[in-house]
Amino acid sequence: MAGFSRKETYSVREAGRISAFQAMNYEISIVLATAILFVPSIAAQHARQDAWLSLSLAGAFGALVTYIAARLALRFPQETVVQYTPRVLGPVVGKLVGFIYVYYYLYVAYFVQREFSELVNTAYLPRTPMIVVIGLLTLLAVYVLYQGLEVLCRVNTVVLWTVIAALLLVIALGIKEVNLEELLPVFENGPGPVVLGAVAPGSWFGETAVILMLMPFICAADRPRMVKFNLLAVLILFLLMELIVVSAIGRFGADQTATKLFPTLSLARHVEVPTLPIFSRQDALFMVFWIGGMLFKLATFFYAGTLGLAQWLNLKDYRPLILPLAVVITALAVQSWANITDLKSFTSEVFPFSITFVQFVLTGTILLVSIIRGTSGRPARGGAENDKA
């Protein structure tokens, strides 16, 4: 699956190519997988019944971040962000910033591992050791990484739209229980809480900045459309999350939504269709597809971190790094948080700001410096075949 051109100065390239549509689906999937867990409760904690307004601000910020990332990626379409930062920022600072991006991708990967284990252990397997739950998901991700990016993206397209269909089914079956009066009054406590409620969702929407690692593998003919597709990804995410937040607050009220660990899972569990019992309690359906989404998200950021580290070290292949890094991120996932309460506090108070620093501040700085210095991607080496669709 992976190929390496001897004429290429930089390391590790894949022979596979993905379309702009597959890349968009990929970006939606990696955000949706974890955002549906905590976003409704975190937004409701700050903004209460105005959480749906917080999602509007978060969507606008996510659109800004993804636009900046797509514009930067298009300036260097043949390379990942780890490869071109030394040319933009200088060899020393550029290498340091490149390593920050590598750590960012691995950081999100072990955060996803812990999120997955906390939900599974809390809701379904309380007696199963955490390391077993994390280990099983990680082994699947390792297998996916050995298959390569193209296989991952193609399978993800099918899984994603099945997940979206399942979410819409859960929302539709429970819509009769939604009371829109729970969303009133608007701006009861002013705009401050609405802004605070937008911080975490906005950072998750900004994860679509993974285009910085995906752009070299997108078909050359599709690359100019990636700005539009990135913005469309954020729009779809916004609409889905808005539906979930409105449904959760309308069903449980702002107070209960703010205190629930997993409001979306609670929505699925409360689905009742007396005339069609087969459609009642859709939490099993939710879990089946959510696990698939978490696998793709873990594989995505694990892949980006592994590929980025191989490029940072100028290795010819990223595969020798997969198993050692799998052990490292698994250890970090187990040791970094004491319990689910600690994880949820981290999710709302630390995680959004740390990833926003990379997605928005660093990415925006690199784009600005590249524009000022007139730095852009060089022609592909090794011939036009590198860009064949």
Side-chain angles (χ1 to χ4, degrees), residues 185-377:
V186 178
F187 282 123
E188 181 181 22
N189 299 309
V194 174
V195 174
L196 289 175
V199 173
S203 68
W204 264 302
F205 288 160
E207 287 179 349
T208 52
V210 75
I211 190 65
L212 295 170
M213 294 297 291
L214 291 181
M215 186 63 80
F217 311 114
I218 296 173
C219 299
D222 280 358
R223 286 174 188 160
R225 298 191 292 166
M226 276 315 300
V227 173
K228 294 180 181 179
F229 273 102
N230 266 40
L231 292 174
L232 182 58
V234 172
L235 176 61
I236 293 172
L237 285 165
F238 162 71
L239 294 175
L240 289 172
M241 291 309 304
E242 195 74 271
L243 283 173
I244 293 170
V245 168
V246 169
S247 297
I249 295 177
R251 174 65 178 80
F252 305 119
D255 291 336
Q256 285 193 50
T257 301
T259 56
K260 285 182 178 294
L261 290 174
F262 310 113
T264 310
L265 181 60
S266 297
L267 281 174
R269 282 181 166 172
H270 281 80
V271 169
E272 295 291 343
V273 185
T275 56
L276 294 170
I278 192 174
F279 286 115
S280 298
R281 282 188 61 91
Q282 293 295 315
D283 53 314
L285 178 65
F286 169 80
M287 283 299 296
V288 166
F289 296 120
W290 175 78
I291 289 173
M294 291 297 279
L295 171 60
F296 285 120
K297 178 157 190 172
L298 172 59
T300 297
F301 283 91
F302 188 19
Y303 171 84
T306 306
L307 176 66
L309 182 59
Q311 293 173 334
W312 194 79
L313 294 172
N314 286 320
L315 301 180
K316 293 184 178 181
D317 192 2
Y318 66 89
R319 285 173 173 79
L321 298 177
I322 293 176
L323 287 177
L325 286 177
V327 174
V328 171
I329 64 173
T330 298
L332 288 170
V334 172
Q335 296 295 325
S336 295
W337 299 277
N339 49 47
I340 192 170
T341 303
D342 187 26
L343 178 66
K344 190 171 182 181
S345 297
F346 181 89
T347 301
S348 61
E349 297 170 8
V350 179
F351 186 73
F353 297 100
S354 57
I355 66 174
T356 298
F357 171 75
V358 178
Q359 297 164 351
F360 181 61
V361 178
L362 273 188
T363 303
T365 300
I366 296 170
L367 176 61
L368 181 61
V369 172
S370 69
I371 292 173
I372 293 173
R373 298 183 62 182
T375 310
S376 59

Side-chain angles (χ1 to χ4, degrees), residues 48-66:
R48 316 305 293 177
Q49 69 273 12
D50 288 332
W52 64 277
L53 290 172
S54 294
L55 263 293
S56 300
L57 291 179
F61 178 74
L64 175 62
V65 171
T66 201

Side-chain angles (χ1 to χ4, degrees), residues 103 106-114 298 329 332-333 336-337:
Y103 178 75
L106 296 175
Y107 167 65
V108 176
Y110 72 78
F111 178 75
V112 169
Q113 287 177 307
R114 186 57 180 264
L298 172 59
I329 64 173
L332 288 170
S336 295
W337 299 277

